[in-house]
Amino acid sequence: MPDHPTYLELNRRLWNAKTEYHLRSEFYDVAGFRQGQSSLKEIELALLGDVRGQRVLHLQCHFGQDTLSLARLGAHVTGVDLSDEGIKAARHLAADLQLPAEFVCCDVYSLPAHLPSEPGFDLVYTTYGVLGWLPDLDRWAAVVSRYLRPGGRLLLVEMHPVVWMFDSQFTRVEYSYFNRETIEETTVGTYAEPGAPLANPSVSWNHDLGEVLGSLRRQGLELADFQEYDFSPYNCFAGMQETTPGRFQLAALPGKLPLIYSLVMHRPA
């Protein structure tokens, strides 16, 4: 039907609804963040290095905690997200904390219409639950490459595609490892507030590692580092337990599944 909302509009409504609950959740601990805590986790901190003075583009930034954590490290940051409620909250948080940051409200694919690509960014940063909202990784990789200066790098930390094969309780394999279907679901609650009175339709896709790496290689980016992790820094799935401080595994499958992967890629100078 002509008036049927697109996947972008459905997902924008989803993330607009989530934002209100995320802002007051223990999961995001905005009060602690306001007092100086960083939202960056051990995986990305180990890979970031010194970003002082660097131009950083943060794709799919939600309400900007990581963006502003990077600003606290001395980076010149621009955050991007399709949720207007998320971007509004990010701007308010930046203003309240007097942290310099720019925020752009648009989906990743339309970013070139909203943000100049010159002089280019030293780092494109994107983490945790980002790629599944994008149907076409070749288009995503083209945007990443467009905004990287020669010699610049991409840092991606993402939920492992094996995770998305399972149902929400991790009792059975429900979806293909490969990008062979559009996944249309109604999300009840949210990972940060499971009891939130939300029931929003969402549209997503699974992307295998070959698809992720291939899309970036086709843009001429070179792989510098790739790692897989048997833990998540977030308690964001059903049945997780904290095995060591800041590391969560599935209680029923401890250490048996890759939960997170990271990659660093460079645009040749």
Side-chain angles (χ1 to χ4, degrees):
M1 296 292 292
D3 60 350
H4 181 76
T6 65
Y7 82 91
L8 283 172
E9 184 56 31
L10 284 173
N11 290 340
R12 180 181 290 109
R13 293 175 188 176
L14 172 75
W15 284 97
N16 278 347
K18 285 176 182 283
T19 298
E20 175 188 353
Y21 294 92
H22 289 185
L23 284 167
R24 60 180 189 235
S25 68
E26 291 183 11
F27 185 97
Y28 282 100
D29 188 16
V30 174
F33 183 78
R34 286 179 175 275
Q35 293 170 8
Q37 294 178 14
S38 175
S39 63
L40 301 173
K41 304 301 184 183
E42 64 168 295
I43 295 173
E44 54 267 33
L45 284 170
L47 296 168
L48 271 172
D50 186 356
V51 295
R52 285 176 296 181
Q54 292 190 2
R55 299 188 72 236
V56 178
L57 177 63
H58 181 189
L59 299 179
Q60 295 167 271
C61 70
H62 195 18
F63 63 88
Q65 278 189 310
D66 275 17
T67 321
L68 298 176
S69 291
L70 290 164
R72 282 171 166 164
L73 293 177
H76 305 291
V77 290
T78 300
V80 179
D81 201 90
L82 89 165
S83 166
D84 43 291
E85 291 298 325
I87 291 297
K88 184 195 305 182
R91 289 171 176 159
H92 285 163
L93 193 58
D96 287 349
L97 298 176
Q98 298 184 329
L99 289 170
E102 179 181 357
F103 289 97
V104 179
C105 186
C106 70
D107 69 279
V108 170
Y109 297 144
S110 65
L111 184 58
H114 298 268
L115 182 70
S117 57
E118 296 297 334
F121 288 83
D122 301 290
L123 172 68
V124 173
Y125 173 93
T126 187
T127 59
Y128 301 109
V130 288
L131 297 186
W133 304 105
L134 306 174
D136 186 341
L137 289 195
D138 281 318
R139 289 178 65 194
W140 166 78
V143 171
V144 170
S145 179
R146 178 189 183 107
Y147 283 94
L148 280 177
R149 66 164 178 79
R153 62 191 174 122
L154 164 70
L155 171 55
L156 168 68
V157 185
E158 180 58 296
M159 306 303 186
H160 201 286
V162 165
V163 169
W164 302 124
M165 296 169 60
F166 288 85
D167 69 304
S168 61
Q169 300 301 311
F170 290 88
T171 58
R172 68 183 185 277
V173 173
E174 189 165 338
Y175 303 104
S176 172
Y177 173 79
F178 302 99
N179 184 4
R180 291 175 177 160
E181 61 182 316
T182 298
I183 301 169
E184 300 183 45
E185 301 174 305
T186 295
T187 302
V188 178
T190 172
Y191 57 87
E193 284 286 347
L198 299 173
N200 298 87
S202 65
V203 185
S204 60
W205 295 264
N206 204 2
H207 299 290
D208 64 83
L209 294 177
E211 186 181 2
V212 177
L213 288 163
S215 68
L216 295 164
R217 289 289 294 135
R218 285 189 287 275
Q219 291 296 322
L221 273 63
E222 298 177 349
L223 181 64
D225 187 84
F226 174 81
Q227 298 181 57
E228 297 173 290
Y229 308 85
D230 67 356
F231 69 91
S232 168
Y234 293 101
N235 184 9
C236 56
F237 298 118
M240 299 193 88
Q241 63 181 2
E242 191 169 19
T243 54
T244 59
R247 295 186 175 193
F248 297 87
Q249 294 185 338
L250 296 169
L253 298 165
K256 294 182 178 179
L257 291 180
L259 299 183
I260 302 291
Y261 72 93
S262 66
L263 62 83
V264 179
M265 299 193 77
H266 291 271
R267 182 179 175 187

